Amino acid sequence: MDALAKLLLRQEKIVTDAQLAEAGVTHGMLRWKLKRGDWQRVLPRVVATFSGTLTRRQQFIAAGLYAGERAQLAGLSALEIHGFRYLPKEPAVHVLVPHERRLRRVPRVRLHRTDRLDSTEWPYAGCVRVCSPARAVVDALRSDEGRGFDVQTMRAVVAEGIQRAITTIVDLQRELDLARRNGTAVLRAVVDEVADGVRSAPEAELRRLAKQSLILPTISWNPRLADADGNDLPTPDGYLDLAALALEVDSREFHLSPEAWEATLRHHNQLAAAGILVLHFTPKQIRETPHSVLAEIERAYVARLGAGAAYKIRVISTLP
């Protein structure tokens, strides 16, 4: 029973029939516990040694144990484990299993057979494995899985992964290179947008909007700026160099925290003090009245050029 107690502690009271047998629990004892309602059968060959509702973490452990030793929690489930916030909600647990493994399909678990398990898997809960963040992003957002997430959702997930340093552009691009191309075209475009310097979903929408303009030049996204004396300035979301015109997307939803939101507002004063005109837009404005947003940027750009002022702001670099 000491071995059983250690096993239950390590696996948060979720075990397989085989593990119970190894720990000395006889088939008769297992049947008796299940019949009394002390324990419950949650998946084929997987038991919860309590009678209540499983936590989400216990659901992940149960699915991983059911799928087998080489299985990897994947897709949306892996993103949830890695702490992504802007995710479509799905109760089912997604699991990668080796292509040759045959398992019965069961409710609440979605099995994905593959001949390319994630070689950069992470351990999870001490008893199962989870795909890396980059693999999880690609598997979750590719359209050939039948979910067909919209572009805004893809941008939100990819941008969050980069903003919060959960994954990197390099890892995402490497994973896309390894993945089948079917169903990844839109995701590849989104990753390229973020690689160009766009850091949030609304910024990506603003970038696409600005490209439609026949007036605006190329915009630097998330550039590093310095004043005439070489002092660093805050980094705006977008910047038009010739007119010293900065674009800011003000959003509680897509920035990292309320503190980051407040920092964006403080940056306005610093940029303005250096002679930069700052235009602020909300994600709702960009999404619902894009033509008005673009017209406002174009008017400000033309007016700044017409003023004939010499702006002494240097763009040092654009963030990768």
Side-chain angles (χ1 to χ4, degrees):
M1 289 302 100
D2 184 53
L4 177 60
K6 291 179 180 178
L7 178 66
L8 297 182
L9 179 63
R10 184 172 68 250
Q11 298 185 182
E12 302 186 28
K13 300 183 178 180
I14 307 295
V15 289
T16 66
D17 290 4
Q19 288 176 323
L20 287 171
E22 277 188 34
V25 177
T26 65
H27 183 65
M29 183 184 297
L30 173 58
R31 288 181 58 190
W32 182 68
K33 286 282 192 181
L34 293 172
K35 186 175 181 179
R36 277 172 47 101
D38 296 334
W39 295 355
Q40 57 183 314
R41 175 77 63 190
V42 293
L43 288 170
R45 303 182 304 280
V46 180
V47 171
T49 58
F50 56 91
S51 59
T53 302
L54 274 66
T55 66
R56 189 61 170 156
R57 184 176 169 93
Q58 287 169 330
Q59 292 174 15
F60 290 144
I61 293 172
L65 291 174
Y66 168 66
E69 186 176 347
R70 296 176 60 201
Q72 299 168 340
L73 298 168
L76 287 174
S77 302
L79 293 181
E80 188 177 340
I81 289 169
H82 288 304
F84 281 74
R85 299 167 183 166
Y86 304 113
L87 291 178
K89 299 301 180 185
E90 184 172 359
V93 179
H94 292 260
V95 188
L96 289 181
V97 295
H99 192 272
E100 66 276 7
R101 184 163 174 74
R102 297 290 188 271
L103 286 170
R104 190 174 83 198
R105 296 196 176 275
V106 294
R108 302 184 302 279
V109 178
R110 289 195 59 181
L111 300 172
H112 305 269
R113 293 168 60 210
T114 181
D115 55 7
R116 190 178 69 84
L117 291 169
D118 186 3
S119 61
T120 58
E121 65 182 16
W122 293 23
Y124 179 69
C127 56
V128 295
R129 296 163 181 78
V130 60
C131 287
S132 66
R135 177 64 180 270
V137 168
V138 172
D139 283 353
L141 300 184
R142 60 185 308 146
S143 61
D144 62 343
E145 288 295 335
R147 292 179 290 270
F149 295 133
D150 57 50
V151 175
Q152 291 178 0
T153 298
M154 292 186 180
R155 286 175 184 151
V157 172
V158 172
E160 181 187 6
I162 302 306
Q163 281 185 313
R164 296 178 55 212
I166 302 174
T167 187
T168 67
I169 289 293
V170 171
D171 287 344
L172 288 171
Q173 291 175 330
R174 181 171 58 241
E175 191 57 48
L176 282 167
D177 288 341
L178 293 171
R180 301 191 316 273
R181 298 196 68 86
N182 291 348
T184 63
V186 178
L187 179 57
R188 291 174 192 274
V190 168
V191 171
D192 286 344
E193 284 181 342
V194 178
D196 284 345
V198 177
R199 296 293 168 145
S200 74
E203 288 173 36
E205 293 173 24
L206 182 59
R207 177 178 182 264
R208 292 168 69 89
L209 178 63
K211 282 187 174 181
Q212 299 174 17
S213 175
L214 300 178
I215 296 174
L216 301 177
T218 300
I219 297 175
S220 299
W221 298 100
N222 299 287
R224 181 183 169 198
L225 303 179
D227 63 18
D229 297 324
N231 300 311
D232 286 342
L233 293 171
T235 295
D237 295 327
Y239 186 70
L240 292 91
D241 190 21
L242 292 178
L245 177 62
L247 310 177
E248 290 278 17
V249 180
D250 295 334
S251 169
R252 289 183 183 274
E253 179 182 2
F254 286 96
H255 281 79
L256 303 184
S257 64
E259 291 77 17
W261 158 259
E262 292 170 3
T264 298
L265 300 183
R266 288 197 302 271
H267 290 174
H268 173 100
N269 290 339
Q270 294 176 267
L271 293 171
I276 297 172
L277 175 64
V278 185
L279 299 182
H280 294 268
F281 303 101
T282 67
K284 183 177 180 181
Q285 287 176 302
I286 296 168
R287 187 172 301 120
E288 296 184 2
T289 58
H291 297 299
S292 297
V293 169
L294 183 58
E296 186 173 344
I297 297 171
E298 289 175 339
R299 284 196 301 270
Y301 177 73
V302 171
R304 295 280 282 183
L305 290 184
Y311 305 112
K312 299 180 179 180
I313 306 299
R314 291 188 298 121
V315 177
I316 299 175
S317 64
T318 297
L319 296 178

